[in-house]
Amino acid sequence: MAISVLSEVEFGEDLPAFKPDTSLETGAKFAKLVGWDGPRFTDHEAAKEEGLAGAMIPGILSQGYLIAMIHNWAPPAEIIKVDTVFRAAVMADDSHTITGVVTDIDEENATVEIDLTVTNEKGETRVFGTANVRLPK
Amino acid sequence: MILDLHTHSIKSDDGRAKVENYCQWIRSKDVPIDGFVLTEHRQHDFESDYSALAEKHGLVILKGSEVETEYGHVLVFGVTEALTQAFDFSRIDLQLEMVIETCEAHGAVAAPCHPGRPRVGMFAHTEELGIPKGVKIVEIYNGGSRDNEDQIAIDNAEELGYLGIGGSDSHIVSHIGRCATEFSEDIRSMDDLVGALQAGEFKAVTFKH
């Protein structure tokens, strides 16, 4: 059930997990659209020649996916801040899962803090962070 | 008694967790730990008093530090004002052997953390720099490990006769307690913790799944 108001949110509540499209094709298309048309986002072999493990998904696309997950859970949510730490690259063509969980509720200001984690198929945390969102009271 | 020996709060530059929310999380999710040690990066937090929170939630909350050396990152337990004056916790180029020796002289314990990690882990540097003197304990379970980093830590610790501790290395609330350290005795203070570490009465545990 989608969240519409703050009172529906519970501490420790899991947001529905989100499977982002981390295909090379989508990552490369996004990179070109935003002017980051470098091989590290568009070509696995060329990325390896740069010393990387393969092509990566642009970080701002990953952040967009985080926000999409929040809006899937709570469509009226106003995103105040998304604060991420990239521990490792989100690799193109690897399957990833984004999870979120409510870790703080500020009833006075009608805001919620959400822990965000991007993990790969091996369960490794690639990206973690927090989001602060405002919800209607 | 189980303590998470490696956690970060918003006091660390990359920490995003409030200590109160750690406590709420542990209790609401039945995380199987009895407390945790805040090991903020390159500093020691003398000011914060978490005793009321600890009492409210029935948890042990202690404070250590995580410092940086040429061999990578190192947890320090038993930090005193005198120890923070003996070397500069804010530096990123401390010498590991000096850190260990100085900690011992001040009754503290230093333990390299995530030693299997590239760049910031001790075993990434031993081939080039040699085996450092004085290491007795390393973190063998780290909640943020990727690939085979924990296994590298376990294998090398076994080969070199090091004891192993565990910690989540949590930077956000929901990651606390992924790894921890089990003690046979009750730990209520930093003195208790340092004593148990010096006595070798502990084992690393992991709850990662």
Side-chain angles (χ1 to χ4, degrees):
Chain A
M1 187 189 78
I3 295 292
S4 53
V5 292
L6 183 73
S7 59
E8 294 170 345
V9 180
E10 289 181 19
F11 180 90
E13 174 178 342
D14 290 311
L15 279 64
F18 185 85
K19 285 272 187 191
D21 176 358
T22 49
S23 65
L24 179 66
E25 185 186 356
T26 297
K29 192 185 293 180
F30 181 88
K32 283 177 186 165
L33 282 170
V34 298
W36 289 8
D37 192 10
R40 63 180 54 188
F41 301 120
T42 58
D43 185 323
H44 283 302
E45 291 310 313
K48 285 176 185 170
E49 284 171 19
E50 288 188 21
L52 302 166
M56 306 183 296
I57 294 298
I60 51 173
L61 177 56
S62 293
Q63 287 197 312
Y65 286 138
L66 297 174
I67 291 167
M69 181 187 67
I70 293 166
H71 278 140
N72 282 348
W73 167 70
E78 174 195 345
I79 309 291
I80 301 167
K81 185 171 77 170
V82 174
D83 183 6
T84 46
V85 177
F86 282 73
R87 282 288 192 226
V90 174
M91 304 308 298
D93 287 335
D94 281 0
S95 177
H96 292 78
T97 302
I98 302 174
T99 54
V101 60
V102 175
T103 57
D104 198 14
I105 301 171
D106 180 343
E107 293 188 2
E108 191 179 328
N109 293 307
T111 59
V112 169
E113 186 162 291
I114 299 163
D115 273 8
L116 302 164
T117 310
V118 181
T119 51
N120 63 10
E121 278 175 311
K122 290 191 278 185
E124 298 166 348
T125 298
R126 312 299 286 185
V127 184
F128 67 79
T130 55
N132 288 87
V133 306
R134 183 169 288 116
L135 288 163
K137 282 190 179 179
Chain B
M1 177 154 208
I2 298 177
L3 298 179
D4 183 341
L5 296 188
H6 187 172
T7 69
H8 299 274
S9 77
I10 51 175
K11 292 272 180 184
S12 286
D13 49 8
D14 59 351
R16 303 290 182 264
K18 299 184 199 87
V19 177
E20 177 161 17
N21 294 142
Y22 272 147
C23 297
Q24 278 181 283
W25 182 263
I26 291 164
R27 287 309 181 210
S28 69
K29 294 289 183 181
D30 292 326
V31 179
I33 60 174
D34 301 293
F36 53 94
V37 184
L38 293 155
T39 50
E40 311 296 4
H41 289 293
R42 301 177 301 281
Q43 60 178 300
H44 186 73
D45 175 17
F46 287 106
E47 292 78 29
S48 303
D49 179 1
Y50 299 116
S51 55
L53 268 182
E55 188 174 349
K56 179 182 172 187
H57 294 278
L59 291 164
V60 173
I61 305 176
L62 304 175
K63 294 184 290 184
S65 298
E66 182 174 351
V67 299
E68 300 185 16
T69 75
E70 84 279 35
Y71 280 92
H73 296 186
V74 180
L75 299 175
V76 180
F77 305 104
V79 180
T80 60
E81 290 271 6
L83 181 59
T84 60
Q85 286 160 17
F87 62 85
D88 184 350
F89 275 41
S90 70
R91 292 192 69 93
I92 60 169
D93 59 351
L94 295 167
Q95 299 296 301
L96 176 60
E97 290 181 4
M98 178 278 294
V99 169
I100 291 171
E101 196 176 326
T102 310
C103 284
E104 285 187 355
H106 285 75
V109 170
C113 51
H114 40 70
R117 190 169 297 174
R119 202 172 56 79
V120 294
M122 188 179 95
F123 298 127
H125 302 280
T126 47
E127 194 174 319
E128 183 192 349
L129 302 175
I131 305 296
K133 290 177 190 155
V135 177
K136 292 172 184 161
I137 301 170
V138 296
E139 185 183 64
I140 57 169
Y141 288 135
N142 178 285
S145 288
R146 292 182 295 276
D147 297 321
N148 59 342
E149 290 173 8
D150 280 352
Q151 198 57 51
I152 291 170
I154 291 165
D155 292 346
N156 280 279
E158 192 174 310
E159 187 183 328
L160 294 163
Y162 300 154
L163 298 172
I165 57 172
S168 67
D169 200 0
S170 59
H171 290 72
I172 59 175
V173 171
S174 56
H175 287 183
I176 197 166
R178 287 180 163 187
C179 300
T181 305
E182 185 172 0
F183 297 89
S184 48
E185 300 293 323
D186 217 22
I187 306 289
R188 292 287 154 197
S189 67
M190 186 50 77
D191 283 349
D192 292 345
L193 175 60
V194 168
L197 290 171
Q198 288 170 334
E201 294 166 352
F202 55 84
K203 69 169 183 181
V205 292
T206 178
F207 303 108
K208 283 194 278 190
H209 43 257

